[in-house]
Amino acid sequence: MKKLLVVSAIAALGLTSAALAGGLPEQMPMAPAAMSSDAGVYLGLEGGWGATNWKNFADINGTVDGTKNDSGAVGRAFVGYDFNRYFAAEVGYSYFFNQEKLQASAANRHKVKTSVIDLLGKIKAPITDDFDLYAKLGVGYLMSNVESDGTTIATGFNNNRDIFNVAFGAGVDYSVTPNVIVNLEWLRHSGSPKANTASDANNYQPYTDAFMVGLRYKFDM
């Protein structure tokens, strides 16, 4: 019996040594955690105060005496895509609800309606987890429709003046939730150069400014 116990103990020690020599079993690899992403499509609306700056129009032929209502409410709808936390791109449409009045004569006024389509790149600088500063730069297609209250369009005007222009702006974003973001921004569309000759007048398109508060929803990817 003693010999049997000794042999059993030696065998047990041998198995234990062999197990230790092989090392402890490796830990099973864990499934990789899902990586968070700041990419996503967003939709939004903005509204505030805008100026079409027709008051800066210098009438070459002396037919326009003044302008009224070249500032007022503006609204913008847009769709965009966040590539990451730092870069985005968006397409927007803005409409200036004020319709400026260009006084050509006592009996002939011109009403101007202004809107713009733009394609903008957006560079963001995170300040905190919830706040971002940003700048925008891109191109716009500025559209002004000129209608006369009289029988004719005064010299220096045509019915429509539509031009491509440089657009730029800046603002701040605040994330209420990861999907709901509010913003405050200034956006300018540069228009065309100031008219210096009579032949320039029909192409003159003043720059626009918009100061807006916005709300957008970002879809999860």
Side-chain angles (χ1 to χ4, degrees):
M1 179 63 70
K2 290 181 179 179
K3 290 182 179 179
L4 180 60
L5 292 173
V6 172
V7 171
S8 299
I10 292 173
L13 289 172
L15 291 174
T16 303
S17 299
L20 291 174
L24 295 174
E26 295 182 0
Q27 186 177 3
M28 293 294 291
M30 297 181 65
M35 295 182 63
S36 61
S37 173
D38 291 308
V41 175
Y42 58 84
L43 297 173
L45 293 171
E46 294 177 307
W49 178 87
T52 53
N53 296 302
W54 275 95
K55 64 184 179 182
N56 296 330
F57 181 71
D59 176 51
I60 304 302
N61 298 314
T63 56
V64 177
D65 301 320
T67 182
K68 300 177 182 179
N69 303 326
D70 73 341
S71 64
V74 61
R76 182 172 183 263
F78 58 94
V79 57
Y81 182 77
D82 281 319
F83 296 99
N84 51 44
R85 181 71 190 274
Y86 306 97
F87 299 100
E90 66 185 43
V91 176
Y93 172 77
S94 300
Y95 184 79
F96 292 81
F97 292 93
N98 55 291
Q99 297 180 7
E100 48 273 19
K101 305 295 191 301
L102 302 178
Q103 189 74 38
S105 65
N108 192 5
R109 295 185 304 171
H110 296 82
K111 180 171 64 177
V112 184
K113 301 177 182 178
T114 303
S115 59
V116 61
I117 299 172
D118 52 44
L119 173 62
L120 303 171
K122 183 177 179 180
I123 301 175
K124 298 175 283 184
I127 303 302
T128 68
D129 289 341
D130 298 326
F131 279 98
D132 292 344
L133 296 178
Y134 64 82
K136 291 181 176 180
L137 178 64
V139 295
Y141 187 62
L142 193 54
M143 299 168 284
S144 288
N145 178 261
V146 181
E147 298 177 356
S148 174
D149 291 344
T151 57
T152 61
I153 298 293
T155 303
F157 288 93
N158 55 18
N159 289 331
N160 297 291
R161 48 189 76 206
D162 305 330
I163 64 164
F164 286 100
N165 62 92
V166 176
F168 52 91
V172 58
D173 280 337
Y174 173 69
S175 298
V176 181
T177 72
N179 301 98
V180 178
I181 301 99
V182 296
N183 71 287
L184 177 66
E185 80 170 26
W186 159 70
L187 186 61
R188 170 172 287 188
H189 293 86
S190 58
S192 64
K194 189 173 180 66
N196 295 313
T197 67
S199 61
D200 293 337
N202 279 321
N203 298 318
Y204 176 68
Q205 170 67 67
Y207 64 89
T208 64
D209 283 310
F211 300 87
M212 299 176 289
V213 176
L215 176 67
R216 68 180 184 272
Y217 183 85
K218 181 176 178 180
F219 297 90
D220 293 326
M221 296 296 290

